[in-house]
Amino acid sequence: MTITLAVANQKGGVAKTTSVASIGAALAELGQRVLLVDLDPQACLTFSLGVDPEDLDLSVHQVLTKGLDPTEVVLETEDGVDLLPATIDLARAEADLLTRTGREHVLKASLADLVGADGYDWILLDCPPSLGVLTVAALTAADGVLVPLQCETLSHRGVGQLLDTVHDVRRFTNKGLEVWGVLPTLYDGRTTHARTVLDTISQTYDLAVIEPPIPKTIKFAEAPAAGRSILATSRTSKGAQAYREVAANLIARAEAGRPKSRRLRTRPS
């Protein structure tokens, strides 16, 4: 059974794309068949996995707006994951989809043939840093949401806005959507501020914290230049190992089945 996980946070710079690429590669190392979907017009995930967006004629844009079969666009990568790439054309998708009936369901419908017993084990959706049409479409298509969180105050505030959107999606387009938890990224456990923000998130929103926290390291910045994930460019680093542990924990959660839903708190007033 395919698990579709949206990786979302409307604040940029929280290692969202790095997390999608690294978790995907770690899942592949564990024998999972993985598809990564780049929904960001900046196409950073596409570039990070060794594909130049400027060299592509087809991308997820045509899948969403023209009804192109995604199997005609999916690429294999050296990290052992498949990629549904993005290009700058995706910046027009919000406007193209805005007046379309059922726009929230367009991604779910496009991915339908890739989901199932003969398809992927995991589909990870790299959401854009916004709460617009593409993010709502990703949340509508997903079984769960993973929230990368840089442990600083502004990222903390953004979680509340994201949870408001999750509530709306649950109400109108995807009743089964679950928040799998917060993934602490760019984490420096030596600072009191980072630890305090992490503790506050857990207490305020009653969200699970996905372990272990991803450490802050220059190795993450170096990996995209090689067109690979950190699991390939720095296999024994603390960052690579952290993502391997996160992937194993996500598999364990999936195998345990969906726990009884907890009430998701809205943003504090």
Side-chain angles (χ1 to χ4, degrees):
M1 181 176 177
T2 304
I3 296 172
T4 302
L5 197 61
V7 182
N9 188 329
Q10 76 275 18
K11 185 180 184 301
V14 297
K16 177 174 52 61
T17 295
T18 296
S19 295
V20 171
S22 302
I23 293 172
L27 288 169
E29 280 190 355
L30 293 170
Q32 304 288 293
R33 189 178 180 209
V34 182
L35 172 68
L36 308 184
V37 181
D38 193 348
L39 293 172
D40 189 344
Q42 298 178 74
C44 292
L45 177 63
T46 299
F47 182 82
S48 296
L49 291 175
V51 179
D52 188 342
E54 295 187 6
D55 292 338
L56 298 175
D57 295 322
L58 299 175
S59 72
V60 70
H61 174 71
Q62 284 78 17
V63 173
L64 298 178
T65 63
K66 306 297 183 183
L68 184 66
D69 187 334
T71 59
E72 298 184 32
V73 184
V74 169
L75 305 173
E76 296 181 355
T77 73
E78 292 186 60
D79 276 273
V81 300
D82 287 353
L83 171 69
L84 188 53
T87 65
I88 191 61
D89 290 340
L90 193 58
R92 301 198 306 266
E94 298 250 354
D96 292 343
L97 294 172
L98 197 58
T99 58
R100 181 181 297 185
T101 301
R103 59 185 175 273
E104 297 89 352
H105 297 274
V106 65
L107 179 61
K108 183 175 183 179
S110 298
L111 296 177
D113 291 340
L114 302 177
V115 174
D118 297 325
Y120 293 95
D121 298 305
W122 294 81
I123 298 178
L124 303 184
L125 309 175
D126 184 18
C127 298
S130 72
L131 296 177
V133 172
L134 292 174
T135 296
V136 172
L139 295 175
T140 300
D143 300 303
V145 188
L146 183 64
V147 185
L149 173 71
Q150 182 181 0
C151 292
E152 54 93 19
T153 301
L154 291 180
S155 290
H156 178 173
R157 292 172 59 84
V159 171
Q161 298 167 352
L162 176 61
L163 296 186
D164 287 345
T165 301
V166 169
H167 271 284
D168 290 341
V169 169
R170 279 180 167 177
R171 181 180 178 187
F172 296 111
T173 62
N174 185 2
K175 293 181 180 180
L177 180 65
E178 295 187 33
V179 178
W180 280 36
V182 170
L183 175 64
T185 61
L186 302 170
Y187 183 70
D188 186 350
R190 298 171 299 177
T191 67
T192 300
H193 179 67
R195 296 194 302 270
T196 300
V197 168
L198 187 59
D199 291 342
T200 302
I201 281 286
S202 178
Q203 295 167 8
T204 302
Y205 299 105
D206 195 23
L207 295 178
V209 177
I210 306 300
E211 298 286 351
I214 307 302
K216 191 173 186 178
T217 170
I218 190 61
K219 299 296 184 181
F220 287 118
E222 296 171 348
R228 301 292 300 275
S229 75
I230 192 174
L231 276 75
T233 61
S234 187
R235 292 188 57 84
T236 60
S237 67
K238 291 182 178 179
Q241 186 56 33
Y243 274 118
R244 289 188 180 98
E245 292 182 42
V246 166
N249 289 336
L250 291 177
I251 291 176
R253 186 205 188 281
E255 291 178 346
R258 296 181 177 178
K260 186 178 295 185
S261 296
R262 295 181 298 181
R263 182 174 64 87
L264 184 63
R265 300 179 188 176
T266 56
R267 180 173 50 184
S269 57

